[in-house]
Amino acid sequence: MNLVELIVEPLQYGFMQRALVVAVAATIVCALLSCWLVLIGWSLMGDAVSHAVLPGVVLAYLVGAPFALGALLFAGAAVALIGLVRNTTKVKEDAAIGVVFTTLFALGVVLISKNPSQVDLHHVLFGNLLGLATADMWQVTALAVVVLVVLITKRRDLTLFAFDRGQAHALGISPARLSALLLALLAVTIVAAIQAVGVILVVAMLIIPGATAYLLTERLSRMLVLAPTLAALTSTTGVYVSYYTDASTGGVVVLAQAIVFTAAYLFSPHQGLVTGALRRRARLREPDDSTVRLA
């Protein structure tokens, strides 16, 4: 089987076409958002919100409502509860996040255990990329487009918010509103990505692409191009690899992203572990100027 046949064969099936569209759409929007999450230091917030939506997804299944609606409601509730605990107690933000997301996640697990025949725990936690219907594909794509448009439109304000909130406030930009906007976009992005990789693996999609791009460049403008580009390539590769190896599609996509991150960690031109060691070794081998003059 040649390369063309390897690429074309999976595309004969509708479920593979839908899987590719959803995987690319979800990973691109996650990657773009992850750039700001990494810079602001909100990676843990992405972890919290992604786990906190589980009871909303379960309840939506139980009452026959769109699961995106339940996920959005509980994502908003999680953000509100974190803010409430943080602002009304001495508990710091990281502890408030831990308390809220573990409590809501546990609630979701309990709801699933009480209704095992109605909710598939495996699909909720790890996604069901190959089992998505056409309606799910359009829903994910629409949510991804909405988030992308808002991120691109507000990219300058969000960048200023990430680097200097005081300057943003001085220019008449409300940091509180931008924070709320970013949290809302995070919730919508998680709802879109959960259908692809599930509650647990969506955390990786919200962290790894931005972290990888941050290792490769120090300029945000380049990060915003690198992160979604790498995400699209790894998601496409992951879907194909999962097809030929009969492995979990969401898991393979995340592993592909992790492999690229590892390569950047080792061989990044400026921050790579191996490239840094090679530069230090090269400097040690350079002749000392005073020795050259004496010779």
Side-chain angles (χ1 to χ4, degrees):
M1 185 178 291
N2 57 40
L3 180 60
V4 174
E5 291 175 337
L6 286 173
I7 295 174
V8 172
E9 180 184 321
L11 298 179
Q12 300 175 34
Y13 304 102
F15 69 89
M16 282 297 295
Q17 297 171 11
R18 292 189 293 272
L20 278 170
V21 171
V22 171
V24 171
T27 53
I28 284 178
V29 71
C30 282
L32 199 60
L33 185 60
S34 73
C35 294
W36 280 289
L37 295 181
V38 169
L39 290 174
I40 296 173
W42 276 10
S43 297
L44 184 58
M45 182 65 79
D47 185 9
V49 176
S50 63
H51 283 76
V53 301
L54 180 60
V57 173
V58 177
L59 289 174
Y61 272 117
L62 294 178
V63 301
F67 96 90
L69 177 61
L72 279 173
L73 289 175
F74 271 78
V79 172
L81 286 172
I82 290 169
L84 179 65
V85 174
R86 180 187 58 196
N87 296 329
T88 58
T89 68
K90 295 182 180 180
V91 175
K92 294 184 179 180
E93 185 175 40
D94 58 344
I97 289 173
V99 170
V100 171
F101 98 72
T102 52
T103 301
L104 291 177
F105 187 73
L107 174 61
V109 173
V110 170
L111 290 173
I112 290 173
S113 68
K114 297 297 291 183
N115 301 275
S117 62
Q118 295 169 304
V119 179
D120 190 335
L121 175 60
H122 185 271
H123 289 168
V124 173
L125 294 180
F126 302 106
N128 185 24
L129 193 55
L130 298 182
L132 295 176
T134 303
D136 297 324
M137 180 188 72
W138 287 116
Q139 182 186 76
V140 172
T141 305
L143 291 175
V145 169
V146 169
V147 175
L148 284 173
V149 169
V150 175
L151 285 175
I152 293 172
T153 304
K154 303 293 290 185
R155 66 186 184 280
R156 296 183 184 277
D157 292 347
L158 290 172
T159 300
L160 186 58
F161 171 72
F163 288 103
D164 193 341
R165 299 187 186 187
Q167 180 67 17
H169 183 72
L171 293 175
I173 301 172
S174 171
R177 290 182 180 178
L178 285 178
S179 177
L181 173 64
L182 200 57
L183 289 172
L185 294 176
L186 174 61
V188 175
T189 301
I190 288 171
V191 169
I194 279 177
Q195 299 187 65
V197 296
V199 168
I200 294 177
L201 296 179
V202 72
V203 181
M205 291 172 56
L206 284 168
I207 299 174
I208 294 178
T212 303
Y214 189 59
L215 289 176
L216 294 173
T217 180
E218 295 179 351
R219 296 183 60 180
L220 179 60
S221 58
R222 292 177 182 172
M223 283 181 64
L224 296 177
V225 174
L226 272 174
T229 300
L230 292 174
L233 291 173
T234 52
S235 61
T236 302
T237 302
V239 171
Y240 272 94
V241 171
S242 71
Y243 173 82
Y244 286 109
T245 61
D246 194 25
S248 167
T249 309
V252 175
V253 169
V254 172
L255 282 178
Q257 292 185 347
I259 289 171
V260 174
F261 172 82
T262 303
Y265 172 72
L266 293 175
F267 303 109
S268 169
H270 302 291
Q271 303 184 58
L273 199 65
V274 174
T275 51
L278 291 175
R279 282 197 302 270
R280 289 191 294 271
R281 180 176 295 182
R283 284 196 296 266
L284 290 174
R285 290 181 176 179
E286 292 177 357
D288 186 74
D289 290 344
S290 59
T291 303
V292 174
R293 285 195 298 270
L294 289 174

